[in-house]
Amino acid sequence: MQNGLKMSRRIRRTPYTARVEALGVSGFTVVNHTLLPKAFQHTAEDDYWHLREHVQLWDVGCQRQVEIRGSDAGRLVQWMTPRDLSTVAVGRCVYTPLVDHRGLLVNDPITIKLGDDHFWLSIADSDVALYALGLARGADLDVSVGEADIWPIAVQGPRAEALMCTLYGDHLRNVRYFGTATVEIDGSPCTVARSGYSGQGGFELYPTPAQGRAAWDALWRAGQAFDIRPGCPNLIDRIESGLLSFGNEMTRDDSPLEAGLARWCDLDTDTGCIGLDALRAQRARGVTRSLCGVRVDAPRGAVCTEPWPVRVGGETVGSLTSAIHSPRLGAHVALGILAHSASALGHGVEVQIDADLRVRGTVEALPFTPRDEASP
Amino acid sequence: MQNGLKMSRRIRRTPYTARVEALGVSGFTVVNHTLLPKAFQHTAEDDYWHLREHVQLWDVGCQRQVEIRGSDAGRLVQWMTPRDLSTVAVGRCVYTPLVDHRGLLVNDPITIKLGDDHFWLSIADSDVALYALGLARGADLDVSVGEADIWPIAVQGPRAEALMCTLYGDHLRNVRYFGTATVEIDGSPCTVARSGYSGQGGFELYPTPAQGRAAWDALWRAGQAFDIRPGCPNLIDRIESGLLSFGNEMTRDDSPLEAGLARWCDLDTDTGCIGLDALRAQRARGVTRSLCGVRVDAPRGAVCTEPWPVRVGGETVGSLTSAIHSPRLGAHVALGILAHSASALGHGVEVQIDADLRVRGTVEALPFTPRDEASP
């Protein structure tokens, strides 16, 4: 009971919380003031293998949709992100680091462009709605900012497509990665995207509570033929796939250039992003810290609940903020921001697991790849 | 393990988390992306009696200090709150509902005026720093907005003053409620306020991590002579005292006029508050919902983790969002927002505890008072 989570209205339940409780959820975390399941009856390793082979149903209602509408909606979203949105088509999802005027990260949502004047930002764990509202009211923009009554469900794993098509039609096979389609659930249209917080592919649904409960039950029933399990973001899969977690790998103190997100920063275009000047200046100076993947020779059960300091030649060069044993790689896979000087692929580092244990680590490319797959 | 909380860097530990773990913490909640202890070895009822008689040491590091500095700092804070801050002296704490342009609540911090151009907002659970930053940058104010590296500790209960004076000097006896003083901790000055989230009096310290760890250890040692215990906000004491919790009693959908906070809304002064027009209009129309205390004839062990619907004559008039058995009143004490028509003191209501159990409730004045004390 050391880690008991005390429930209250402030920690919001999703439309599916009663369902995951009935399915034996054994732990939660809190994201956006909302419960996110973190474990069911199986080990993380067992769930990892299942996710790679079958299909899982995830309650990701905590991915709150910040809804931005109005004639200045596009301007407001573009103001917050260094990614150039000028060529994004209606119906597309785009990964959008959000920054402040110093170029420091505020969040990293998937932005869904529902219309030229209508966006959903499917956010990580910070109150993007308050930031957007402050900017909008401070600059007197013609825009409304709210939280849509939309509670995402993720269907992840290699059999997700077959399951989704069984229920919602074969046209879903034609949906590209980060594309969307509309399906009918509970008698009304629902947005579906080919996306999700795993490396194994799948779909996310963006339903109302009533639609979501109907979809959950239908997916669970139809999923029995596909060996479906209840699941949640899997730490082994997440780290192996190089998927970042705002608050873990990067915080309000880090820029997207430091967090390995440069490819989503269009700094040569005058996008109007609030942090554009700061990010251009940082790029010109050169970053001094970079997000890295590190393979760590840690004991199999070592758990990283507090950052592991990383040293080179006795000098601290950063820390690893997420780590777990990968059964496929036979070592711990880890993510963290290190001094740029220590971040070259293949660089050797020392990782302090706890006061008594220092082990060897190696900087590796993301996503992590087993050594026999990497050198065919 | 149904309610296990999974730990990660994203859920921040405080400088005292290792200390409360060593003292046997048995549960946490998450506030401002930070751990808040919710229980130790004793029952809530046992801790309630202890809090009323002795002194407790609370890790309230989750009360993050949003720091606002610069020539426009006063203007920005006043923009966010309907409370008139023009007469607040340097060194004073003030309870400040924060609102948006619709007059809806964003948070309800204690604002500490450290200087004419320097404020700390000791916040409840929402990212006020992002709202303030958005407003500041949107309107191009001369102000910096950040999160101070300050981790509050609360010393609560009737013996708190004696304990604090033992360590930091008798001048603390002269500090009025919501006044501040400066004490020396670990060789440098630290702000202390007579405040705290209980009805039993006490102090809050606003230390850096190093100061805080030194203060925690000193308070714990000196506190042995005062029967000190580790503690945390006590739900029985909180509800009896009528202390609200943002996210529980009121949310982004409620105005301060609806949440019983009208006395902190100076609507007849042109404060410049962003929600002034909306709140004036709501006052002119008359509120249709009001926060109420309700005494509920619930079975002693009934737990309110989801709101309890409230009905009058078969019609739903609202819900109770926090409730617990009060051993002093011999009934459940509860808080919730009800239709204004049902909110008169003494009004009888029906409370749906669960699908099978409906019990009687009575609207009562806050703070709750035992009936023999109420009618002497």
Side-chain angles (χ1 to χ4, degrees):
Chain A
M1 187 55 183
Q2 175 86 354
N3 289 345
L5 172 64
K6 295 296 170 171
M7 299 295 178
S8 71
R9 182 197 188 200
R10 186 176 52 75
I11 311 288
R12 297 179 290 185
R13 294 166 66 86
T14 80
Y16 327 117
T17 302
R19 285 163 171 76
V20 299
E21 285 170 345
L23 290 168
V25 67
S26 64
F28 288 103
T29 186
V30 179
V31 176
N32 291 320
H33 318 278
T34 307
L35 291 170
L36 171 66
K38 286 300 280 184
F40 287 82
Q41 299 100 323
H42 304 96
T43 62
E45 205 163 296
D46 192 54
D47 275 332
Y48 163 83
W49 290 118
H50 180 269
L51 174 64
R52 292 178 64 87
E53 292 163 11
H54 301 288
V55 57
Q56 295 184 356
L57 187 58
W58 296 2
D59 170 5
V60 288
C62 67
Q63 292 173 197
R64 308 304 306 135
Q65 302 304 299
V66 175
E67 182 163 49
I68 299 181
R69 302 190 80 148
S71 67
D72 286 330
R75 183 176 157 204
L76 176 56
V77 178
Q78 182 66 80
W79 199 8
M80 296 190 286
T81 182
R83 180 156 184 178
D84 180 6
L85 302 181
S86 64
T87 59
V88 175
V90 170
R92 287 295 295 171
C93 304
V94 278
Y95 178 68
T96 45
L98 305 184
V99 298
D100 67 14
H101 60 297
R102 297 173 300 166
L104 299 180
L105 284 162
V106 166
N107 203 292
D108 67 329
I110 305 295
T111 292
I112 308 178
K113 184 171 178 176
L114 296 167
D116 285 325
D117 296 344
H118 189 193
F119 297 81
W120 281 345
L121 279 60
S122 189
I123 60 171
D125 185 28
S126 71
D127 294 335
V128 171
L130 292 182
Y131 182 51
L133 181 65
L135 288 170
R137 297 281 57 82
D140 200 20
L141 300 185
D142 177 29
V143 75
S144 71
V145 177
E147 186 181 74
D149 190 22
I150 294 294
W151 300 82
I153 293 171
V155 185
Q156 298 288 296
R159 303 177 80 183
E161 183 179 87
L163 170 57
M164 288 289 288
C165 289
T166 297
L167 281 175
Y168 302 115
D170 276 339
H171 68 290
L172 292 181
R173 291 192 202 283
N174 304 324
V175 178
R176 289 180 300 157
Y177 187 64
F178 271 22
T180 67
T182 301
V183 301
E184 186 178 304
I185 298 178
D186 200 33
S188 55
C190 177
T191 298
V192 168
R194 193 184 286 272
S195 61
Y197 198 52
S198 86
Q200 306 312 316
F203 289 84
E204 288 187 320
L205 293 76
Y206 295 86
T208 64
Q211 286 181 318
R213 282 185 284 258
W216 181 283
D217 293 339
L219 286 160
W220 182 252
R221 275 193 305 269
Q224 297 309 310
F226 297 86
D227 296 314
I228 198 168
R229 274 193 194 172
C232 51
N234 181 280
L235 190 57
I236 307 170
D237 173 77
R238 174 174 90 71
I239 298 177
E240 278 190 7
S241 305
L243 293 170
L244 306 187
S245 161
F246 182 73
N248 281 308
E249 275 67 66
M250 69 281 203
T251 71
R252 286 282 293 122
D253 295 327
D254 306 311
S255 90
L257 302 183
E258 294 165 334
L261 308 178
R263 84 191 91 161
W264 294 289
C265 296
D266 296 310
L267 303 185
D268 296 321
T269 308
D270 289 325
T271 52
C273 170
I274 191 171
L276 189 58
D277 289 346
L279 291 171
R280 283 175 172 169
Q282 186 178 49
R283 182 179 62 173
R285 286 194 310 272
V287 296
T288 58
R289 310 153 62 237
S290 296
L291 184 112
C292 295
V294 181
R295 180 191 292 249
V296 185
D297 298 331
R300 187 169 176 136
V303 175
C304 180
T305 50
E306 292 182 76
W308 289 345
V310 176
R311 295 193 185 81
V312 173
E315 190 184 350
T316 300
V317 295
S319 63
L320 301 178
T321 46
S322 300
I324 193 166
H325 181 80
S326 160
R328 212 156 55 90
L329 276 75
H332 268 56
V333 285
L335 298 169
I337 293 181
L338 303 185
H340 197 65
S341 60
S343 67
L345 296 186
H347 203 286
V349 298
E350 296 162 344
V351 182
Q352 194 79 39
I353 304 291
D354 60 36
D356 303 322
L357 184 61
R358 185 179 304 177
V359 300
R360 186 177 159 74
T362 310
V363 176
E364 297 213 353
L366 296 175
F368 285 95
T369 317
R371 282 182 176 149
D372 51 351
E373 292 180 25
S375 355
Chain B
M1 188 56 184
Q2 174 86 354
N3 289 344
L5 173 63
K6 294 296 168 172
M7 299 294 177
S8 72
R9 182 197 187 201
R10 186 176 53 75
I11 311 287
R12 299 180 290 186
R13 295 167 66 87
T14 80
Y16 327 116
T17 301
R19 285 162 170 76
V20 299
E21 286 171 342
L23 290 168
V25 68
S26 63
F28 288 103
T29 186
V30 178
V31 176
N32 290 320
H33 318 279
T34 308
L35 292 171
L36 170 66
K38 286 300 279 183
F40 287 83
Q41 300 100 323
H42 304 97
T43 63
E45 205 163 299
D46 192 54
D47 276 331
Y48 163 82
W49 291 116
H50 180 269
L51 174 64
R52 293 179 62 87
E53 291 163 12
H54 302 287
V55 58
Q56 294 184 358
L57 187 58
W58 295 3
D59 169 6
V60 288
C62 66
Q63 294 172 196
R64 307 305 307 136
Q65 304 302 299
V66 175
E67 182 162 49
I68 300 180
R69 301 189 84 148
S71 68
D72 286 330
R75 182 175 157 205
L76 176 56
V77 178
Q78 182 67 80
W79 198 9
M80 295 189 287
T81 182
R83 181 158 184 177
D84 180 5
L85 302 180
S86 64
T87 60
V88 175
V90 170
R92 289 293 297 170
C93 305
V94 279
Y95 178 69
T96 44
L98 305 184
V99 298
D100 66 14
H101 60 297
R102 297 173 300 167
L104 299 180
L105 284 161
V106 165
N107 202 290
D108 66 330
I110 306 295
T111 292
I112 309 178
K113 185 172 179 175
L114 296 167
D116 285 326
D117 296 344
H118 190 191
F119 297 81
W120 280 345
L121 279 60
S122 188
I123 61 171
D125 185 29
S126 70
D127 294 335
V128 171
L130 292 181
Y131 182 50
L133 181 66
L135 288 170
R137 297 281 56 83
D140 201 19
L141 301 185
D142 177 27
V143 74
S144 71
V145 176
E147 186 180 75
D149 190 21
I150 294 294
W151 300 83
I153 293 171
V155 186
Q156 298 288 295
R159 303 177 80 182
E161 183 181 84
L163 170 59
M164 287 290 289
C165 289
T166 297
L167 281 175
Y168 302 115
D170 277 340
H171 68 287
L172 291 181
R173 291 192 204 283
N174 304 323
V175 178
R176 289 181 296 157
Y177 186 65
F178 272 21
T180 66
T182 301
V183 301
E184 187 178 303
I185 298 177
D186 200 33
S188 56
C190 177
T191 298
V192 168
R194 191 184 288 272
S195 62
Y197 198 52
S198 87
Q200 308 310 317
F203 289 83
E204 288 188 319
L205 293 77
Y206 294 87
T208 63
Q211 287 181 317
R213 281 186 284 259
W216 181 282
D217 292 341
L219 285 160
W220 182 252
R221 276 194 304 270
Q224 298 308 311
F226 297 87
D227 297 314
I228 198 167
R229 274 192 193 171
C232 51
N234 181 281
L235 190 58
I236 308 171
D237 174 77
R238 174 174 91 71
I239 298 177
E240 277 189 8
S241 306
L243 293 170
L244 307 188
S245 162
F246 182 73
N248 281 309
E249 276 67 67
M250 69 280 202
T251 71
R252 287 282 291 122
D253 295 325
D254 307 310
S255 90
L257 302 183
E258 295 165 331
L261 307 178
R263 83 192 91 161
W264 294 289
C265 297
D266 297 311
L267 303 184
D268 296 321
T269 308
D270 289 325
T271 52
C273 169
I274 191 171
L276 190 58
D277 289 347
L279 291 171
R280 283 174 172 170
Q282 186 178 49
R283 182 179 63 170
R285 286 194 310 272
V287 295
T288 57
R289 309 155 62 239
S290 296
L291 184 114
C292 297
V294 180
R295 179 191 294 249
V296 184
D297 299 331
R300 186 165 177 139
V303 175
C304 180
T305 50
E306 293 182 76
W308 289 346
V310 176
R311 295 192 184 84
V312 173
E315 191 184 349
T316 299
V317 295
S319 64
L320 302 178
T321 46
S322 299
I324 193 168
H325 181 80
S326 160
R328 210 156 56 89
L329 277 77
H332 267 56
V333 286
L335 298 169
I337 292 182
L338 304 185
H340 196 65
S341 59
S343 68
L345 297 185
H347 203 286
V349 298
E350 296 163 343
V351 181
Q352 195 79 39
I353 303 293
D354 60 37
D356 303 321
L357 183 60
R358 186 179 305 176
V359 300
R360 188 179 157 74
T362 309
V363 176
E364 296 212 352
L366 297 175
F368 285 95
T369 318
R371 284 185 174 145
D372 52 352
E373 291 178 27
S375 355

